[in-house]
Amino acid sequence: MTGIFRNKFIRSVLLLLVLFSSAEFAFAQSDQPLASTTYRLAMSRPVSHLFEVTIEVELPEGQMPSSLDFQMPKWSPGRYAVFDFAKNVQQFEALGGICPRGAQCKMPAFPVTRVDDQTWRVATMSTHRLTIRYKVFGNDLSGTFSQLDSRHANYNGGSIFMYVVNHKGDPVRLEIKPPAGWRIVNGRMTSMDQRECAISQLGHTDRHPF
């Protein structure tokens, strides 16, 4: 083996080792669950057809990724086709911190990068708590997408809720805030008009618990 080819071979091996180490580190990080993930679903203006989603994420102590990716599913339970759920997302924003329920908080806006058609990357800015807010237009009663109007709301979780990439298996909590006078009915309820529920895990991309 000549000197030139030997040097190229050594550089290639070193590059592969670096890539393997990086991938191994990323895998180890993805195995560590988030400290908490809470989803809040509101419908303050039904006539607008806009579902209002808030995701509150708390990172565990000692975990400080430079960013987190939030992704809309492309699959839905029982629907064996690819759907563009992300096309209905509006006004995505990321904020530093988590505001206590009922309080009025002014939180700093964090940088957001659109990675692809279904993924938003949020810079953590060295904080352990993030609040994500966005709206989803819903006026489709097909069962695959969702609908919100002055009469009712019918939502398919896959078309409404993003998940944190590499953390679909983490436990989450869902809180629903319907318009005044509306009643909540869904498969996760254990009592009449239940507005909160804990969910063991998000499952796979083509399945969503909400």
Side-chain angles (χ1 to χ4, degrees), residues 66-71 92 94 110-116 118-124 130 132 162 165:
S66 59
S67 62
L68 287 179
D69 287 353
F70 293 81
Q71 193 168 83
F92 185 100
F110 280 8
V112 177
T113 303
R114 188 73 177 266
V115 178
D116 54 37
Q118 67 178 120
T119 310
W120 288 255
R121 179 163 294 163
V122 175
T124 61
L130 291 172
I132 307 302
M162 296 185 184
V165 173

Side-chain angles (χ1 to χ4, degrees), residues 140-186:
D140 184 338
L141 198 56
S142 64
T144 299
F145 287 82
S146 300
Q147 185 178 60
L148 172 64
D149 58 31
S150 59
R151 301 168 301 159
H152 75 153
N154 181 76
Y155 67 90
N156 171 23
S159 70
I160 296 291
F161 298 106
M162 296 185 184
Y163 55 84
V164 184
V165 173
N166 293 330
H167 292 279
K168 287 182 288 183
D170 293 6
V172 300
R173 176 169 291 276
L174 169 65
E175 177 184 337
I176 301 174
K177 185 178 181 181
W182 287 28
R183 305 188 72 175
I184 303 171
V185 179
N186 66 52

Side-chain angles (χ1 to χ4, degrees), residues 13-163:
V13 170
L14 289 175
L15 178 59
L16 287 173
L17 288 174
V18 170
L19 291 174
F20 179 79
S21 299
S22 299
E24 189 175 40
F25 176 76
F27 179 78
Q29 288 291 93
S30 69
D31 280 351
Q32 186 176 4
L34 299 171
S36 67
T37 306
T38 300
Y39 289 79
R40 305 191 190 279
L41 179 64
M43 295 153 268
S44 63
R45 296 184 63 246
V47 294
S48 69
H49 307 298
L50 291 174
F51 291 91
E52 301 152 17
V53 181
T54 300
I55 309 174
E56 297 170 349
V57 174
E58 184 174 1
L59 296 168
E61 291 295 330
Q63 186 182 104
M64 189 58 66
S66 59
S67 62
L68 287 179
D69 287 353
F70 293 81
Q71 193 168 83
M72 287 293 287
K74 280 197 171 182
W75 298 87
S76 179
R79 300 291 194 270
Y80 299 99
V82 175
F83 295 96
D84 186 13
F85 294 132
K87 70 180 181 181
N88 291 322
V89 174
Q90 303 179 14
Q91 301 176 38
F92 185 100
E93 63 175 347
L95 304 171
I98 296 176
C99 189
R101 191 184 311 182
Q104 296 290 330
C105 303
K106 187 174 182 180
M107 298 180 289
F110 280 8
V112 177
T113 303
R114 188 73 177 266
V115 178
D116 54 37
D117 62 347
Q118 67 178 120
T119 310
W120 288 255
R121 179 163 294 163
V122 175
T124 61
M125 307 297 287
S126 300
T127 186
H128 282 85
R129 293 184 171 187
L130 291 172
T131 296
I132 307 302
R133 294 176 183 164
Y134 61 92
K135 297 179 180 180
V136 178
F137 181 85
N139 193 26
D140 184 338
L141 198 56
S142 64
T144 299
F145 287 82
S146 300
Q147 185 178 60
L148 172 64
D149 58 31
S150 59
R151 301 168 301 159
H152 75 153
N154 181 76
Y155 67 90
N156 171 23
S159 70
I160 296 291
F161 298 106
M162 296 185 184
Y163 55 84

